[in-house]
């Protein structure tokens, strides 16, 4: 029946070839296939887009204006569709105020917990400040008097001056006129009826004596009790919420435990959050006091940033990077302030709240029971979110980790954890490679989380290349057979694991899963001898690195491995790259902490080939990034037709006036503002989306105009420009790294992180080689199919064969097993990591006991 299935008919988005498909609901479904085969077009641009569109269109016009553009995907019909939630890798914030604690809402519950269960301490004297009602203060005084065997006289005073200079003549005169007769000045009692002369330049302590309550009173008597209550109220009024009680008989009140009798003879109490000793006053303790996004709680110097300014890496001098006011930092729970807790890792935070919950449960007093009741709800929410993050393998992250420093995989798993916490049922979740950045050891945790989400009654669609995830799915869909125009078809589908045994179906993915195809282990590795040239990093102590000293062999293919959070990025990016970039690229980074680095004379350039976008605007594209577009424009300008017309290369640019369509300014589309409706983008009615004016489009090369070239795939242009060596070579490299399916003019904003990284790699391969360059890549296999990984390895080995050094941070075992040298960090993530477990060939690492990487590498090498 339709409600048991998602039925897709006639999907044609991007390169999809009129696909029709039935998917089981309430199951975990994996979409796989070569990079660019159409997986994301089907999962995100068709299924998710339509599910989101249908849900949003059910809302009011006012609400829809805040929810973005509602394009209908190119599909005939989709039945059985639920409201859809996309969990991709681009959704995390780079806002410096955004942290792991804020995006998981843990910080919001922490603020409530501290506002309701936190205990304020004076930052000057360090003593706890307790807020008491006038009635509680009266009860404390009565209890004190009743528990003394001798008759105890009580002296009720209001502290009106604390440690301030002045003569205070007028103030003392006003007290006399108000009916008071006595004050205590600097510890000595004086009559207000006599002249009191004080030194103007000396600091004084002045207490107004409000009443001397004799020990003969019976506080069970209503009138006697009323006298004490009135004295307390007057003292609190004149002392601005603070009073002092002195005992003239034996015994006294304890400052630490005001409800108990001790040998002390005097105590100060407060009806506000004010220190009775030195007058330090707290504002009202509420959740916003702990928010670094609110002026009520943020450090007044850095306004809650924690740094001197938005672009600075220096800790703020006022709050030392803690982001909050002094008052906020002096409210404690079990000896920790809110910043102390956010500095904990997920693992340590779980332990802290577990112990705190036990302590609350063991409390027997009414105060302890009240505290337990107040803390119960925020504690439950905090603990559940922490547990969810543990379950997806993020126990090494600290709660104050900035969102902008998270990898795409980490950000995606955090969102996944929050979705499990929402406990939605009947929802369609679509995930984009959730295993990115995850060690093989932790895959099982993630898979269990996905199964839990499924078992709640949801449908999970995962776009994934990871073998463990594919095998753990309920249903398998392979899209291909090739990439780009060669893809967009369903080439295999069926339930797992039955399809792995069904030999009537065949596909590149199934061939790898069945072992018919595999990435081979090199028959011979590049040798590394005793006297081999290397970079040596001494005393690396950045983040969790434990004073490491490591040798990195040069002119070799090196893999840095370890479980998530073991310190790989701290070593390779923070220490190595930043130091080398400052030396060779003229950068101004603050390198990670280390003692020294030697061997720099053996290299002359460092390139960080990361997964950031190749451009921030839709005008950037693969052709412009690798430098091919300049050659193409010059080629068109050199044509006979262009020379006759006097066209220069600038005529064929859509970025500058002259040859572009000025109606749309070279975009091909026009944005129409719809006020309370989403902005609508329509094809330019002058150039019909071709971006250039009519005269420019009349110039052709081999029968194609400049717009036709932009629409061609890289694979097509390699053949088209075969006889133009300086152009053909650059385009051929793009094809060799597995990007032949991309259009030459494809907008940079539509490219994945993995695609952007391979375009950057292509640009480097197209440059003149210095043969002494160090290339750094962080998880270059992101988004790559088994077959694409082989092509990437061929490219990386070409760089090494030229005399360069390639260092990759990688979890993929097919990459690790082909490296010349492996540096394995661990043994765990966070504080339990940061050590070098073993450095050597993959075979050496595989034999290392206690190495998680070695354990899985051993199985792969045996195969």
């Amino acid at each position: 029946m339709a409600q048991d299935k998602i039925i897709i008919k006639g999907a044609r988005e991007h390169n999809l070839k009129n696909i029709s498909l039935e998917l089981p609901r309430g199951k975990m479904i994996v979409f796989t296939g070569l990079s660019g085969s159409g997986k994301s077009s089907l999962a995100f641009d068709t299924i998710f887009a339509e599910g989101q569109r249908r849900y949003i269109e059910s809302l009011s016009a006012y609400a829809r204006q805040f929810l973005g553009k509602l394009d209908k995907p190119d599909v005939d019909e989709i039945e059985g569709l639920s409201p859809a939630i996309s969990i991709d890798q681009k959704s995390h914030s780079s806002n410096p105020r955004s942290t792991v604690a804020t995006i998981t809402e843990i910080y919001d519950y922490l603020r409530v917990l501290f506002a309701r269960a936190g205990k304020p301490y004076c930052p000057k004297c360090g003593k706890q400040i307790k807020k008491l009602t006038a009635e509680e203060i009266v009860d404390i005084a009565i209890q004190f008097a009743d528990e003394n065997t001798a008759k105890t006289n009580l002296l009720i005073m209001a502290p009106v001056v604390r440690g301030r200079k002045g003569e205070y003549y007028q103030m003392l005169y006003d007290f006399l006129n108000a009916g008071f007769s006595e004050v205590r000045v600097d510890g000595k009692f004086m009559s207000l009826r006599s002249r009191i002369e004080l030194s103007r330049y000396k600091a004084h302590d002045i207490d107004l004596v409000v009443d001397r309550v004799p020990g003969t009173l019976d506080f069970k008597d209503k009138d006697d009790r009323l006298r004490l209550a009135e004295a307390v109220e007057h003292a609190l009024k004149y002392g601005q919420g603070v009073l002092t009680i002195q005992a003239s008989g034996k015994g006294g009140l304890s400052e630490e435990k005001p409800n108990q009798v001790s040998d002390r003879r005097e105590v100060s109490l407060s009806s506000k959050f004010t220190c009775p000793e030195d007058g330090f006053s707290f504002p009202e303790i509420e959740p916003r006091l702990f928010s670094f996004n609110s002026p009520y709680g943020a450090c007044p110097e850095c306004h809650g940033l924690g740094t001197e300014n938005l672009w600075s890496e220096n800790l703020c001098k006022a709050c030392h990077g803690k982001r909050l006011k002094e008052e906020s930092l002096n409210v404690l729970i079990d000896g920790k302030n809110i910043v102390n807790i956010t500095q904990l890792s997920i693992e340590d935070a779980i332990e802290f709240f577990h112990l705190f919950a036990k302590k609350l449960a063991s409390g027997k007093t009414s105060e302890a029971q009240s505290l337990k009741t107040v803390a119960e709800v925020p504690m439950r929410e905090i603990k559940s979110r922490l547990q969810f993050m543990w379950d997806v393998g993020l126990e090494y992250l600290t709660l104050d980790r900035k969102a902008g420093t998270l990898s795409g995989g980490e950000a995606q798993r955090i969102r996944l954890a929050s979705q499990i916490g929402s406990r939605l049922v009947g929802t369609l979740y679509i995930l984009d490679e959730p295993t990115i950045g995850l060690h093989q050891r932790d895959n099982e945790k993630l898979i269990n989380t996905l199964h839990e989400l499924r078992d709640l009654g949801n449908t999970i669609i995962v776009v994934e290349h990871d073998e463990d995830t594919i095998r753990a799915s309920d249903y398998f869909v392979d899209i291909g057979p090739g990439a780009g125009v060669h893809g967009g078809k369903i080439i295999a589908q069926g339930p797992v694991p039955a399809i792995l045994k069904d030999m009537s179906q065949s596909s590149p993915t199934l061939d790898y899963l069945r072992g018919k195809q595999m990435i081979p282990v090199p028959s011979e590795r590049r040798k590394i001898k005793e006297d081999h040239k290397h970079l040596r990093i001494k005393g690396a102590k950045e983040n969790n690195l434990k004073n490491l000293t490591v040798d990195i062999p040069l002119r070799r293919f090196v893999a840095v491995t370890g479980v998530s959070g073991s310190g790989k990025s701290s070593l390779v990016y923070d220490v190595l790259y930043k130091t080398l970039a400052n030396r060779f690229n003229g950068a101004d980074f603050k390198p990670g902490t280390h003692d020294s680095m030697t061997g720099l004379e053996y290299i002359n350039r460092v390139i960080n080939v990361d997964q950031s976008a190749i451009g921030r605007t839709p005008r950037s594209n693969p052709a412009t990034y690798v430098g091919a577009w300049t050659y193409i424009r010059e080629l068109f300008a050199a044509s006979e037709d262009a020379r006759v017309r006097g066209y220069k290369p600038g005529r064929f640019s859509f970025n500058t006036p002259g040859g572009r369509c000025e109606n749309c300014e070279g975009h091909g589309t026009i944005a129409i503002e719809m006020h309370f409706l989403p902005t609508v983008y329509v094809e330019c009615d002058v150039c019909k989306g071709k971006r250039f004016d009519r005269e420019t489009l009349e110039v052709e090369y081999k029968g194609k105009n400049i717009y036709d070239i932009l629409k061609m795939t890289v694979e097509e242009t390699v053949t088209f420009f075969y006889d133009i060596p300086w152009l053909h070579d650059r385009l051929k490299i793009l094809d060799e790294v597995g990007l032949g399916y991309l259009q030459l003019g494809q907008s940079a904003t539509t490219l994945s992180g993995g695609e952007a990284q391979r375009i950057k790699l292509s640009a480097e391969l197209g440059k003149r080689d210095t043969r002494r360059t160090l290339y750094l890549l962080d998880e270059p296999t992101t988004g790559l199919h088994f077959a694409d990984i082989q092509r990437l390895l061929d490219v990386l080995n070409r760089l090494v064969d030229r005399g360069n050094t390639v260092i990759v941070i990688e979890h993929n075992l097919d990459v690790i097993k082909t490296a010349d040298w492996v540096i394995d960090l661990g043994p765990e993530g966070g504080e339990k990591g940061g050590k070098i477990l073993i450095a050597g060939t993959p075979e050496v690492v595989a034999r290392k006991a206690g190495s998680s990487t070695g354990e899985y590498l051993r199985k792969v090498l045996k195969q």
Side-chain angles (χ1 to χ4, degrees):
M1 296 185 59
Q3 59 264 35
D4 297 328
K5 298 177 182 177
I6 298 172
I7 302 173
I8 303 156
K9 297 179 181 177
R12 294 175 295 274
E13 193 69 23
H14 300 318
N15 67 333
L16 298 181
K17 304 293 195 302
N18 204 35
I19 283 178
S20 293
L21 180 67
E22 291 188 2
L23 301 172
R25 285 172 56 87
K27 301 293 183 183
M28 179 170 156
I29 304 160
V30 65
F31 285 2
T32 189
L34 294 173
S35 304
S37 60
K39 305 182 297 298
S40 295
S41 296
L42 179 58
F44 292 96
D45 300 328
T46 303
I47 298 173
F48 168 68
E50 180 65 5
Q52 186 187 49
R53 186 188 69 84
R54 290 184 188 178
Y55 171 69
I56 290 176
E57 285 198 345
S58 70
L59 304 177
S60 67
Y62 176 78
R64 290 202 302 270
Q65 71 174 312
F66 304 109
L67 297 173
K69 187 165 165 265
L70 300 172
D71 284 338
K72 179 168 173 50
D74 190 0
V75 61
D76 291 339
E77 185 180 356
I78 303 182
E79 299 177 16
L81 198 57
S82 306
I85 295 175
S86 162
I87 306 180
D88 58 24
Q89 297 164 34
K90 299 179 181 178
S91 54
H92 67 291
S93 171
S94 58
N95 187 326
R97 296 179 181 274
S98 186
T99 66
V100 169
T102 61
I103 58 183
T104 57
E105 297 179 342
I106 287 174
Y107 197 76
D108 295 319
Y109 290 106
L110 277 176
R111 293 194 294 118
V112 173
L113 182 65
F114 269 83
R116 300 295 173 253
K119 296 179 179 178
Y121 288 79
C122 177
K124 293 183 178 178
C125 65
K127 294 180 179 177
Q128 183 181 344
I129 299 173
K130 190 167 184 181
K131 180 180 180 180
L132 300 168
T133 63
E135 187 175 343
E136 287 176 309
I137 293 172
V138 169
D139 289 340
I140 289 170
I142 292 173
Q143 181 187 12
F144 161 74
D146 288 347
E147 288 182 359
N148 281 271
T149 54
K151 295 296 183 181
T152 304
N153 300 320
L154 299 180
L155 188 62
I156 310 297
M157 295 179 286
V160 290
V161 173
R162 277 290 178 267
R164 297 204 309 269
K165 297 176 182 178
E167 295 177 319
Y168 298 107
Y169 177 81
Q170 186 62 48
M171 183 187 77
L172 296 173
Y173 184 75
D174 291 341
F175 288 153
L176 178 62
N177 285 339
F180 296 102
S181 62
E182 191 178 7
V183 290
R184 184 175 68 173
V185 180
D186 299 332
K188 295 181 180 179
F189 288 92
M190 299 182 180
S191 172
L192 286 170
R193 293 185 176 86
S194 60
R195 184 176 180 83
I196 300 175
E197 295 184 355
L198 301 179
S199 171
R200 172 183 288 184
Y201 303 107
K202 181 182 175 183
H204 302 287
D205 291 333
I206 302 176
D207 297 285
L208 175 66
V209 177
V210 175
D211 195 4
R212 290 183 178 271
V213 182
T216 55
L217 295 184
D218 179 9
F219 292 116
K220 292 180 181 177
D221 181 76
K222 184 170 67 175
D223 292 334
D224 288 351
R225 184 186 180 94
L226 180 62
R227 174 176 172 177
L228 177 61
E230 288 179 344
V232 167
E233 287 178 8
H234 280 85
L236 290 174
K237 175 185 174 184
Y238 283 94
Q240 299 196 350
V242 179
L243 60 72
T244 299
I245 301 176
Q246 188 188 73
S248 59
K250 291 184 178 179
L253 293 175
S254 164
E255 290 174 291
E256 289 78 18
K257 298 179 180 179
N259 292 313
Q260 297 181 15
V261 175
S262 78
D263 292 335
R264 295 190 66 93
R265 302 186 58 78
E266 184 172 306
V267 68
S268 295
L269 302 172
S270 173
S271 66
K272 297 180 178 178
F273 286 118
T274 302
C275 179
E277 294 297 317
D278 49 45
F280 185 90
S281 180
F282 269 82
E284 191 64 28
I285 299 180
E286 50 185 299
R288 63 177 179 162
L289 180 65
F290 306 97
S291 172
F292 45 76
N293 292 322
S294 165
Y296 195 78
C299 166
E301 292 295 320
C302 66
H303 306 291
L305 276 176
T307 54
E308 289 180 346
N309 55 59
L310 192 59
W311 301 274
S312 172
E313 292 186 8
N314 299 325
L315 287 166
C316 167
K317 292 175 182 175
C319 66
H320 305 291
K322 295 180 180 178
R323 299 182 167 203
L324 296 170
K325 288 179 177 177
E326 186 179 36
E327 295 92 325
S328 314
L329 298 172
N330 281 279
V331 179
L332 308 182
I333 286 180
D334 203 20
K336 291 185 182 293
N337 62 33
I338 195 167
V339 172
N340 297 147
I341 289 178
T342 59
Q343 289 171 340
L344 297 174
S345 65
I346 304 297
E347 182 178 15
D348 292 339
I350 289 174
E351 177 68 12
F352 172 82
F353 283 108
H354 173 70
L355 294 175
F356 182 54
K358 285 180 68 175
K359 189 176 290 187
L360 287 178
S362 64
K364 302 301 181 185
T365 65
S366 59
E367 182 183 5
Q369 291 300 313
S370 175
L371 185 63
K372 179 184 174 183
T373 304
V374 166
E376 185 176 4
V377 174
M379 284 269 287
R380 183 175 65 239
E381 295 296 334
I382 291 168
K383 288 164 68 179
S384 67
R385 282 162 170 76
L386 289 171
Q387 188 61 48
F388 292 144
M389 284 196 284
W390 170 281
D391 292 340
V392 294
L394 295 174
E395 69 279 357
Y396 59 91
L397 290 180
T398 57
L399 289 169
D400 62 356
R401 174 85 170 263
K402 290 185 178 180
T405 67
L406 297 170
S407 69
E410 287 170 336
Q412 188 174 209
R413 293 201 298 282
I414 286 174
R415 287 194 65 211
L416 180 61
S418 65
Q419 287 300 326
I420 297 172
S422 69
R423 311 296 289 181
L424 285 175
V425 174
T427 305
L428 174 61
Y429 289 98
I430 303 178
L431 293 89
D432 186 11
E433 291 195 83
T435 61
I436 288 174
L438 203 59
H439 192 274
Q440 295 292 123
R441 188 196 70 177
D442 298 320
N443 270 4
E444 188 176 348
K445 280 185 180 180
L446 175 68
I447 290 168
N448 289 339
T449 301
L450 294 175
H451 284 170
E452 182 183 347
L453 202 57
R454 174 201 63 190
D455 294 342
L456 284 172
N458 301 298
T459 304
I460 316 289
I461 294 178
V462 184
V463 177
E464 188 57 272
H465 297 290
D466 176 70
E467 183 175 345
D468 292 341
T469 310
I470 294 172
R471 291 183 184 277
S473 299
D474 302 309
Y475 199 80
F476 172 90
V477 178
D478 201 16
I479 303 173
V485 295
H486 305 298
K489 299 177 182 177
I490 305 296
I491 54 175
Q493 63 173 309
V496 180
I499 193 170
L500 300 178
K501 301 173 184 176
D502 182 4
M503 303 311 289
S504 65
Q505 297 199 61
S506 180
S507 74
T509 308
L510 287 174
D511 287 345
Y512 277 93
L513 293 172
R514 292 166 180 165
K516 291 176 66 176
Q517 290 281 344
M518 64 176 61
I519 295 171
V521 176
S523 57
E524 186 177 356
R525 301 188 193 277
R526 300 176 185 92
K527 302 295 182 186
I528 298 173
K529 300 178 182 178
E530 290 288 330
D531 59 348
H532 193 88
K533 293 177 180 176
H534 58 260
L535 277 176
R536 171 169 288 182
I537 301 171
K538 285 186 176 180
K541 297 179 278 288
E542 183 69 8
N543 296 330
N544 67 334
L545 298 179
K546 305 295 191 298
N547 200 27
L548 296 187
T549 294
V550 60
D551 288 343
I552 301 173
L554 298 174
R555 305 182 70 177
R556 295 294 182 264
F557 180 25
V558 181
V560 180
T561 63
V563 298
S564 304
S566 58
K568 303 182 297 296
S569 295
S570 296
L571 177 64
V572 174
Y573 180 74
D574 293 329
V575 177
L576 178 61
Y577 173 69
K578 288 184 176 179
T579 301
L580 297 181
N582 289 352
R583 169 76 176 267
F584 299 114
N585 300 353
D588 189 25
F589 290 122
K590 182 180 179 182
T593 306
H594 65 287
D595 295 337
S596 65
M597 191 179 299
T598 57
L600 275 65
E601 65 271 20
Y602 301 128
I603 58 176
N604 60 10
R605 199 162 67 111
V606 61
I607 302 295
N608 182 31
V609 190
D610 61 18
Q611 297 189 17
S612 60
I614 61 171
R616 297 182 179 180
T617 70
R619 295 183 184 274
S620 299
N621 57 51
T624 58
Y625 192 86
V626 300
W629 193 239
T630 301
Y631 290 122
I632 291 172
R633 290 191 292 113
E634 290 175 351
L635 196 62
F636 270 83
S639 67
E640 183 179 350
D641 202 3
R643 291 202 309 269
V644 169
R645 297 177 181 222
Y647 291 170
K648 302 297 182 187
R651 178 84 190 191
F652 302 95
S653 170
F654 47 74
N655 290 324
T656 58
R660 70 182 184 184
C661 170
E662 290 304 324
N663 187 55
C664 63
E665 296 184 335
H667 285 286
T669 58
I670 294 176
I672 299 177
E673 176 61 49
M674 299 294 287
H675 300 290
F676 64 87
L677 291 172
T679 301
V680 174
Y681 294 86
V682 298
E683 185 181 84
C684 174
D685 56 356
V686 175
C687 68
K688 307 301 181 187
K690 294 186 176 180
R691 308 177 76 167
F692 296 91
D693 63 25
R694 182 172 52 204
E695 288 72 25
T696 304
L697 293 171
E698 287 174 352
V699 178
E700 295 185 346
Y701 174 79
K702 288 187 179 180
K704 293 189 180 291
N705 62 34
I706 194 75
Y707 174 73
D708 296 332
I709 301 295
L710 283 173
K711 297 298 287 182
M712 292 173 74
T713 64
V714 168
E715 185 181 33
E716 290 170 333
T717 59
V718 169
T719 304
F720 187 77
F721 292 113
Y722 184 77
D723 56 346
I724 313 293
W726 36 270
L727 187 52
H728 172 266
D729 291 347
R730 282 165 172 75
L731 297 171
K732 189 170 185 294
I733 295 170
L734 277 172
D735 191 35
E736 287 173 348
V737 296
L739 297 176
Y741 59 90
L742 290 182
Q743 287 186 346
L744 208 59
Q746 186 166 332
S747 168
T749 57
T750 67
L751 300 173
S752 69
E755 287 169 336
Q757 188 176 42
R758 278 174 281 154
I759 289 173
K760 293 175 184 178
L761 200 56
S762 300
E764 287 303 318
L765 286 164
K767 293 177 181 177
R768 179 172 293 178
D769 201 344
T770 68
R771 300 187 181 274
R772 294 171 62 193
T773 301
L774 182 72
Y775 293 96
L776 304 177
L777 296 94
D778 189 357
E779 294 197 71
T781 58
T782 297
L784 294 188
H785 187 267
F786 304 105
D788 297 314
I789 292 174
Q790 181 63 68
R791 301 179 77 170
L792 175 69
L793 288 172
D794 292 341
V795 171
L796 296 179
N797 279 302
R798 274 173 54 190
L799 286 171
V800 178
D801 291 338
R802 292 181 184 180
N804 301 299
T805 306
V806 172
I807 301 176
V808 297
I809 297 174
E810 191 54 86
H811 293 292
N812 188 287
L813 295 171
D814 285 326
V815 174
I816 298 169
K817 75 182 184 184
T818 63
D820 299 314
W821 195 256
V822 178
I823 300 171
D824 191 37
L825 275 68
E828 300 294 333
E831 278 305 305
K832 295 180 181 177
K835 300 177 182 177
I836 292 182
L837 297 181
I838 185 71
T841 63
E843 287 77 12
V844 171
V845 174
R847 291 194 294 267
K848 173 66 176 176
S851 165
S852 297
T853 304
E855 178 186 341
Y856 287 91
L857 193 55
R858 190 158 53 244
K859 299 173 185 175
V860 172
L861 290 175
K862 282 182 180 178
Q863 293 174 357

